[in-house]
Amino acid sequence: METMTRILAIGCTAALAVLFLYACNDKLDVQQEYDFSLSCWHLQSAIRKDESVEMRLTLNRSGNFRDTRYYIGYIQMEGKGEVYDKNGTRLVNRELHELRAMPGLDESDPCRQVFTLYYTATADKQSEVRFVVVDNFGTQRELEVAFDSGRKSD
């Protein structure tokens, strides 16, 4: 009986050792994909034709994986206008641009990147622009910005 208990104890110990060794590995799990959002500082509510508005945008990230790439674009939903960067380079409607290449991008806090875009209305209509940010993992976030035409109704 004592031999049987000893064999059972050795068997259980060996099984536990194998289980622990199998569960341990030297691979480090690195989180690569983090959630993010796009926000904008307070904007004026109205814009007239040929008037420009400065938009301070912030990409807020919940974590920082060095190899994550972000791309920004816009869609003109209503009205007519142009979006351009700090150097005056016009962004093309419905095309993505790498955020890292954006002039004046403040990367001092990797989880809160601030940059400036400008919008100029080219028509006397209400303007609505949807900004789209996509990362290289396919996650997409949107921010809608709307301006009244600045005209008084007759």
Side-chain angles (χ1 to χ4, degrees), residues 39-41 43 54-58 86 114-117:
S39 61
C40 186
W41 292 6
L43 295 170
E54 176 181 342
M55 297 177 289
R56 297 292 305 257
L57 299 163
T58 304
K86 221 171 190 168
V114 180
F115 59 100
T116 303
L117 292 176

Side-chain angles (χ1 to χ4, degrees), residues 22-90:
Y22 181 75
C24 295
N25 65 34
D26 59 352
K27 293 181 182 174
L28 181 63
D29 291 332
V30 177
Q31 183 174 349
Q32 297 178 1
E33 190 174 350
Y34 291 95
D35 196 22
F36 62 93
S37 65
L38 184 66
S39 61
C40 186
W41 292 6
H42 178 73
L43 295 170
Q44 64 196 55
S45 59
I47 185 173
R48 294 193 171 136
K49 183 178 178 182
D50 299 324
E51 184 179 3
S52 295
V53 175
E54 176 181 342
M55 297 177 289
R56 297 292 305 257
L57 299 163
T58 304
L59 178 69
N60 299 293
R61 302 160 57 177
S62 62
N64 181 27
F65 177 61
R66 190 183 76 216
D67 293 334
T68 304
R69 300 285 182 263
Y70 295 93
Y71 303 89
I72 187 163
Y74 79 97
I75 302 169
Q76 184 79 47
M77 304 301 290
E78 261 187 74
K80 288 185 178 180
E82 295 180 340
V83 175
Y84 52 97
D85 66 22
K86 221 171 190 168
N87 288 349
T89 303
R90 191 170 69 86

Side-chain angles (χ1 to χ4, degrees), residues 38-40 57 129-133 141-145:
L38 184 66
S39 61
C40 186
L57 299 163
V129 178
R130 178 180 297 155
F131 290 96
V132 179
V133 175
R141 298 291 180 257
E142 298 176 353
L143 173 70
E144 291 195 11
V145 176

